[in-house]
Amino acid sequence: MVDIAVEQVRQVTSPAAITPVIPGFHPDPTICRVGFDYFLATSSFEYFPGAPIFHSRDLVTWDQIGNILTRRSQFAVGDGRPSGGIFGSTLRHHNGEFWFVTTNMSDFGGGHLLLRSKEAAGPWSDPVQIPGTLGIDPDIAWDSDGTCYLTWVGFGPGENESGIVQARLDPDAGRLLESPRKVWQGTGLAYPEGPHLYEAGGCWYLVLAEGGTERGHAVSVSRGSSPAGPFEPHPNNPILSHRSMAAPVQSVGHADLVETVDGDWAAVYLGVRPRGVVPGFHVLGRETYVAGISWDQGWPRFDEDRYQVPVVGSSFIDDFSSDSLHPRWISPGQDPASFTAETPEGLLIRQSQTGNVPILATRVLGHVWGARASVLLSGDEAVRFLLRMDDFHWYGIEASGRQIRVVAQIGPLQQVVATAEIDPAPGPFQLEIACNDSPLAGQPGINTGPDEVTLGFREHGELTTLARMDGRYLSTEVAGGFTGRVVGLAATSGSIIIERFEYNHHG
C-alpha cells in the first residue's frame, strides 16, 4: 500500500479551543498515559473495525496506530442500525496492561464489554461481558489497594440501577462484586452521562457530561474522599460548556482527564463545528479537542488556550498494494475483509450476496476537500462512490457500462439528479466528490447550508461536474444520530477494482 501524506506539517498553529486534535467523526475520546506516551480511543458506533486508537507524545499531534475491535468475535453485528454499535468507552493502563471497557448498543442487554491487551496497538482480547450492567458509558478505575470500580449510566430496571451507578468489579472474571448503587447524579441538567473517576491530591473526582450531547452539552465535576463517594459538587458547575456562546466550536463535553508527563493535567473532550445559517449544521460529526487542566482550591479548571495545535496535512493516496488495509478504512455494519480482497490491479470490492450494499469508507477530516477514485469496470459491474451520513442520507455518483449518474438519498426519498453517457476507454476511469464552502454564504436573506457538495467524473483527463448539492441534507441536524460524514465506495453489481484513492484536504 502506498500511503503518501500529500501535505506535510506546516509551521502554523492554532488554538486548541477552535482546532480539533483528531478531526472528523471521532467522538467520546478517552485517554491514558504510559511513561512518555499518550494513548487515546474514540467511539465508532456501527462502523467496523471499531474503536480507533491513537498515539501521541505531545497531546496535539496524534497518529492512528490501529483499532481496538478488529475481529467480529469482539464486536457482534447485532441490529446494525445507524448510530448503534460502540458507544462511550474508557481506556486505562493498570498493572502492565491496557484495559478498554465499552458498550455495543447493537448487541445490547448482556452488559458492558471489557477487553485487555499488552500493547495499545493490539491485538486485543475477546471481550468479557459483565452481567448486570445494563446501560452505557462505562468507566473503570482502581484504588491504591487494587480494588476495581465500574461506574456507568444505568438503565435499570431497579431504582438503584438507574442513573449514574457504581459497583466493585472483579475485572479478571468480569463479575460485579456487589449490587450497583447510585453515586452523584450531576447538577440536574439533562442526561448525566460519560462518568470518569480519578484520584488526584488525595481526593477522588467524578467527572460527568451533562445537558445532552447537543448545544447544551457541559462538563461537571464532584469530589470525595473515596472512589465510592459521597461526592460534593463543584460550587460553580459546569466547569466547561459553550452553551449560549458565539464560539465556533459547540456542544463541548464528554471529557476525560490525564496527568501529563511533567505532572500537570490535561483533558480531551468532544465538540462540533457548525456552519451555515440557523440552526447551524455540523457535518463532520463530533471531533476530539484538547485543553489544559489547572487546579484551583482543589478543583479542576479547564484552560482551553493552553495548547497550540499544529496544522497537519491529512491528505493521502492509497493504491491498495499492501497485504492489509490501513486502519482508516471502515465499513458500516460490515467487516471489510468479508467483501474486499487485494489483487495485483488494486483492491477488489464485491457485491454482497445478502442483498445489502457493503461500503468501504474513510472518515471525512475537514470542511474543504476533494476525493478521487480510479475504478476498473468491465461487463455488467457497477460502482457507487458516495458521501454518507447514514443509510438514508447520502449523495453518490454511480457508473455502469456507458452511463454515469448522480443519486441523492434523503430520508425515504431517492432521486436520480443527473446522468451522462461516457465513452469507455481502456484502463481505469475516475469519479470525484468534493466539498467546498457554499457559494451563497454570507449573502443576506439567502438560506445557505454548511457547504456545497459537487459530484463528477473525469473522461480523457477532463473533469465534468454533474451535480452541485446542498450540504445541509448530509448533516447531523437533518440526519440525526451520533456519527459524521464518510466517503467511500461500493459495488452495486458484480465486483469492481479500486486502483487508486486520493483524498486531498484543503481546509
Side-chain angles (χ1 to χ4, degrees):
M1 173 177 63
V2 174
D3 181 16
I4 303 170
V6 177
E7 234 180 317
Q8 300 299 320
V9 177
R10 299 193 297 266
Q11 298 302 310
V12 177
T13 61
S14 57
I18 62 172
T19 307
V21 292
I22 306 180
F25 152 47
H26 292 103
D28 309 326
T30 176
I31 189 172
C32 70
R33 179 176 63 85
V34 182
F36 294 97
D37 298 286
Y38 300 93
F39 300 93
L40 183 152
T42 73
S43 299
S44 49
F45 296 93
E46 73 267 30
Y47 289 90
F48 184 86
I53 188 163
F54 300 82
H55 168 260
S56 178
R57 279 287 182 99
D58 60 10
L59 292 170
V60 294
T61 54
W62 293 87
D63 295 312
Q64 186 175 0
I65 57 174
N67 295 281
I68 293 175
L69 305 173
T70 59
R71 306 184 301 277
R72 272 307 187 195
S73 58
Q74 299 170 307
F75 179 18
V77 176
D79 57 23
R81 61 186 171 88
S83 291
I86 301 303
F87 272 43
S89 314
T90 298
L91 176 69
R92 295 292 183 260
H93 190 265
H94 177 74
N95 278 353
E97 286 188 293
F98 289 92
W99 297 79
F100 183 73
V101 61
T102 191
T103 310
N104 180 4
M105 288 292 287
S106 292
D107 189 33
F108 191 54
H112 303 309
L113 307 177
L114 182 61
L115 301 89
R116 59 207 292 182
S117 174
K118 291 292 186 182
E119 302 292 337
W124 287 75
S125 69
D126 280 347
V128 172
Q129 195 156 34
I130 307 170
T133 59
L134 186 69
I136 60 171
D137 293 357
D139 174 83
I140 192 169
W142 289 262
D143 69 11
S144 58
D145 67 8
T147 301
C148 182
Y149 293 84
L150 188 73
T151 310
W152 71 98
V153 182
F155 286 175
E159 173 61 26
N160 286 332
E161 299 170 82
S162 299
I164 307 297
V165 299
Q166 185 187 85
R168 289 180 296 118
L169 173 73
D170 178 343
D172 293 313
R175 177 175 61 89
L176 296 183
L177 299 177
E178 59 185 342
S179 298
R181 62 182 178 276
K182 283 181 175 286
V183 289
W184 182 59
Q185 301 299 304
T187 67
L189 294 175
Y191 308 118
E193 58 189 4
H196 287 304
L197 193 61
Y198 318 89
E199 192 277 331
C203 284
W204 282 88
Y205 294 85
L206 179 58
V207 173
L208 300 181
E210 289 193 273
T213 196
E214 301 82 33
R215 298 295 199 269
H217 210 197
V219 177
S220 299
V221 64
S222 62
R223 69 184 179 189
S225 59
S226 160
F231 294 97
E232 61 165 324
H234 191 297
N236 295 317
N237 273 325
I239 59 172
L240 176 68
S241 183
H242 286 180
R243 60 189 184 182
S244 301
M245 296 173 61
V249 177
Q250 291 290 322
S251 305
V252 298
H254 209 109
D256 196 13
L257 277 60
V258 66
E259 187 173 7
T260 63
V261 173
D262 56 9
D264 286 333
W265 285 72
V268 290
Y269 60 97
L270 67 79
V272 305
R273 291 183 283 172
R275 308 170 89 217
V277 297
V278 173
F281 301 87
H282 73 281
V283 301
L284 301 178
R286 298 170 299 162
E287 306 174 284
T288 290
Y289 294 79
V290 68
I293 294 291
S294 302
W295 294 89
D296 184 4
Q297 300 182 43
W299 290 108
R301 178 171 55 83
F302 276 75
D303 178 2
E304 296 179 74
D305 296 323
R306 178 178 299 176
Y307 293 98
Q308 294 288 308
V309 180
V311 176
V312 179
S314 56
S315 301
F316 69 90
I317 298 171
D318 201 335
D319 72 353
F320 305 104
S321 59
S322 174
D323 291 336
S324 60
L325 288 172
H326 189 281
R328 69 167 68 90
W329 291 105
I330 52 177
S331 179
Q334 302 285 327
D335 182 350
S338 70
F339 64 91
T340 67
E342 289 78 23
T343 74
E345 295 82 16
L347 186 72
L348 181 141
I349 300 179
R350 293 184 292 268
Q351 182 187 20
S352 171
Q353 301 302 310
T354 60
N356 62 356
V357 180
I359 302 165
L360 182 69
T362 187
R363 293 167 174 87
V364 173
L365 303 179
H367 286 118
V368 182
W369 57 274
R372 180 184 303 169
S374 299
V375 184
L376 287 169
L377 288 181
S378 63
D380 296 329
E381 295 143 347
V383 62
R384 178 184 295 156
F385 187 30
L386 77 164
L387 182 63
R388 178 189 192 269
M389 282 293 290
D390 61 28
D391 292 339
F392 302 102
H393 299 85
W394 53 266
Y395 299 150
I397 181 165
E398 301 179 344
S400 178
R402 295 176 57 87
Q403 187 176 69
I404 291 183
R405 63 180 192 166
V406 171
V407 180
Q409 175 90 39
I410 302 170
L413 305 177
Q414 188 177 109
Q415 178 71 45
V416 175
V417 177
T419 62
E421 293 285 327
I422 59 172
D423 180 18
F429 65 95
Q430 297 174 333
L431 303 176
E432 297 197 12
I433 299 176
C435 287
N436 302 285
D437 291 327
S438 171
L440 301 178
Q443 294 188 27
I446 300 295
N447 203 24
T448 64
D451 58 4
E452 180 182 71
V453 181
T454 61
L455 301 99
F457 66 96
R458 287 186 183 270
E459 188 175 20
H460 308 300
E462 293 292 325
L463 175 63
T464 299
T465 298
L466 286 182
R468 300 180 184 276
M469 310 291 287
D470 189 332
R472 279 176 291 184
Y473 303 105
L474 305 188
S475 70
T476 299
E477 284 70 22
V478 172
F482 303 123
T483 61
R485 288 179 180 173
V486 298
V487 59
L489 295 126
T492 56
S493 177
S495 299
I496 62 172
I497 290 179
I498 309 304
E499 185 188 70
R500 181 182 174 95
F501 183 93
E502 302 175 47
Y503 178 88
N504 294 301
H505 174 83
H506 303 302

